[in-house]
Structure formats: structure tokens, C-alpha cells
Amino acid sequence: MKCEICPHNCDIPENGYGFCGARKNQGGVIVCDNYGKITSLALDPIEKKPLYHFFPGSKILSVGSYGCNMKCGFCQNFEISQRKPRFDYISPEKLVEIALNESENCGVAFTYNEPTISFEYAVDCAKLLKQANLKVVLVSNGQINASPLEQLAPLVDAWNIDIKAWSADFYRRHGGDFETAKRTVEIASKTAHVEVTTLIIPGENDNDDEIVALATWLADISPETPYHLSRYFPRYKYSAPPTPTDSLFRLAEVARRYLKYVYVGNV
Ligand code: SF4
């Protein structure tokens, strides 16, 4: 059985799991095995997603499960993306109820691990959240095929999508697909508010030419797309020291030649 959610298009044997560890072949049907299995739940400032131009100053109920369809050695959230920690089951109905009971909360952000691998849960929750007049936010690596994206996109109000580097090789080394990430930003921008993030890692994606190419492409979508340069810290399999703040500020200046709103985070 083939899973067609992301460009891995995994062929999954009976009772086996896909590359992401979250989807399974159960009796000849591909199921979302992490459906509603919530490992993290918190009311965060929306700027923490990061979203700076979408309901600024508000809070958003943020939920995550486990699993990921990339295998970044520098993952800043590897405890849930690459492992299967303890979880609590929260149905879509219960999630809406929790979101409605939080004061100053504008909606729900699906974040912490990759939410698109929980495609069915994201869709089921998003439909109910919209009925309850709550906003739907996805924080994603953009690794989703066009067909599921076209089903999901109309239900999403805002995205933060990673463009992890301007390099197909970088994506290949970390288990992703560069063209898919770009296409997700392009499609999502047609129907929702989109902000883009790059985690800057010394020696991996911190040269000016990459940021010039990325910012030029993003400006073609809209020069008003907010762009975040985020600081790497040693995590998981990477032990190199944190990104020097000078590099982040230099790259932000490069991006500002093309884009109106460029931010540096985690400094
Ligand atoms: S979502 Fe998971 S199982 Fe499906 S194709 Fe992608 S990695 Fe494979």
C-alpha cells in the first residue's frame, strides 16, 4: 500500500510504518496512526510560531503529536519528531472545547512536530475549528504532495513554512524535497497568510548567495511575505556551536534588499 501524503510516497508493508513513523498500513489501509495522539499542548504567544503579521499580540493553543517526514540531524524538537514519547488522546471535538475555554485565544496551531503527516486529524479539527470561528494555523516543513495540500489549504488561515535552505542537496541529505517545499509556499500563499522561516546553521546554509536566491523567489510571491531567520542551537546529532548573531543580522540585511519584513529570532 502506498501513502501519498508526502513526496516519500512510502510503500508500506502490512502492519508496517512509513518513513515518518506516524502512518501505518493497517489491514491494507493506510491510517494516520498518530491521530489525536497529542504529546504537547500549550497556550503560546502567536509570535512564538513564529507569526508576526497574523493577529499580533494574541495567544494561540498549540498542539503537537509525534513523527516527521524529514530527518534533520539538527532538529530542535527531536524528542517528539524522531521519537515516540508519551501522549494523551484528544479528539477533534475535545480540542475545540479546550480552545474555546482559553481566554484571549485566537485558534489552534498545529506545530511542534510536522502536522501534515497527521493529515486526517488536521482536516477533521480544522473543519470543527472553523465552525467555532477559531483560526487554524499550521507550522510545517512544507513536505506535502499537491493533492492533499489542495484539500487542506482552504481550511487553513495561516502557515509558517520552513524553507530550510536554497539547495536540493541540503533537502536530500535531510530526507526532504526542495521543490515540494517551494511549491507548498506558492500554493498556500494563494489562500492563506504565509510567513517563511529558515533556521540558519553555520557552514550549512549561511552564505549570502542562498539568501539572495531565496529572498528573490519569495519576493516574486510577495515582497510583503514576512521572513524569519532563526538561530540554530546544538541539538540532537549536531554539536557545532550556536549560529553567531553577527551572521544572522548580516543575512537579514541581505534579505531586506528584496523583502519588506525580515526578522531575526531566538537571539
Ligand atoms: S506521510 Fe509518512 S508514510 Fe506518508 S509518504 Fe510521507 S513519510 Fe511516507
Side-chain angles (χ1 to χ4, degrees):
M1 286 300 298
K2 201 180 261 285
C3 173
E4 295 179 343
I5 292 291
C6 89
H8 285 291
N9 293 310
C10 299
D11 255 320
I12 312 179
E14 178 94 27
N15 291 322
Y17 287 85
F19 180 83
C20 59
R23 303 184 65 82
K24 186 180 182 190
N25 177 346
Q26 196 169 283
V29 180
I30 302 292
V31 297
C32 171
D33 195 53
N34 68 355
Y35 188 103
K37 294 177 180 172
I38 302 302
T39 60
S40 323
L41 182 76
L43 189 67
D44 285 340
I46 199 155
E47 287 77 8
K48 208 172 156 187
K49 301 305 97 193
L51 285 176
Y52 282 15
H53 291 221
F54 185 78
F55 290 83
S58 64
K59 302 253 173 64
I60 190 153
L61 184 69
S62 301
V63 290
S65 182
Y66 59 82
C68 188
N69 51 2
M70 288 187 72
K71 298 276 176 263
C72 305
F74 50 84
C75 184
Q76 308 282 294
N77 262 349
F78 71 96
E79 297 92 341
I80 59 171
S81 72
Q82 307 300 331
R83 299 192 179 142
K84 198 170 177 178
R86 197 194 69 77
F87 58 78
D88 291 313
Y89 178 73
I90 300 181
S91 69
E93 292 77 9
K94 183 71 186 168
L95 185 65
V96 174
E97 188 188 317
I98 297 168
L100 285 169
N101 283 335
E102 296 285 4
S103 60
E104 295 174 54
N105 176 32
C106 72
V108 171
F110 298 87
T111 178
Y112 303 134
N113 76 315
E114 175 52 36
T116 58
I117 58 174
S118 310
F119 178 77
E120 294 82 354
Y121 186 66
V123 167
D124 290 350
C125 292
K127 287 178 178 165
L128 294 180
L129 289 163
K130 293 198 96 66
Q131 283 171 18
N133 216 15
L134 290 163
K135 300 297 176 200
V136 176
V137 167
L138 257 76
V139 180
S140 173
N141 61 21
Q143 298 296 300
I144 177 168
N145 286 339
S147 171
L149 176 59
E150 272 152 20
Q151 293 173 60
L152 185 59
L155 299 167
V156 179
D157 297 291
W159 300 74
N160 188 297
I161 302 171
D162 288 339
I163 294 292
K164 291 180 184 280
W166 196 259
S167 156
D169 177 61
F170 180 100
Y171 269 86
R172 216 172 295 117
R173 282 189 285 116
H174 298 292
D177 179 67
F178 181 40
E179 293 304 319
T180 301
K182 286 192 288 177
R183 184 187 59 206
T184 298
V185 173
E186 289 160 3
I187 293 176
S189 297
K190 290 181 183 154
T191 53
H193 174 79
V194 172
E195 303 193 16
V196 170
T197 297
T198 304
L199 180 78
I200 300 293
I201 308 161
E204 294 255 358
N205 60 358
D206 60 345
N207 72 71
D208 291 15
D209 292 349
E210 275 195 50
I211 298 300
V212 168
L214 194 160
T216 306
W217 163 80
L218 199 52
D220 268 354
I221 297 170
S222 168
E224 303 206 340
T225 308
Y227 179 50
H228 303 264
L229 295 158
S230 175
R231 190 181 190 200
Y232 145 93
F233 287 90
R235 301 279 286 154
Y236 194 31
K237 296 177 180 169
Y238 273 44
S239 55
T243 313
T245 51
D246 287 0
S247 306
L248 289 159
F249 290 119
R250 186 194 79 243
L251 294 170
E253 280 310 312
V254 171
R256 285 189 187 110
R257 290 185 216 144
Y258 309 90
L259 297 165
K260 263 173 97 171
Y261 305 111
V262 178
Y263 303 102
V264 171
N266 292 344
V267 289

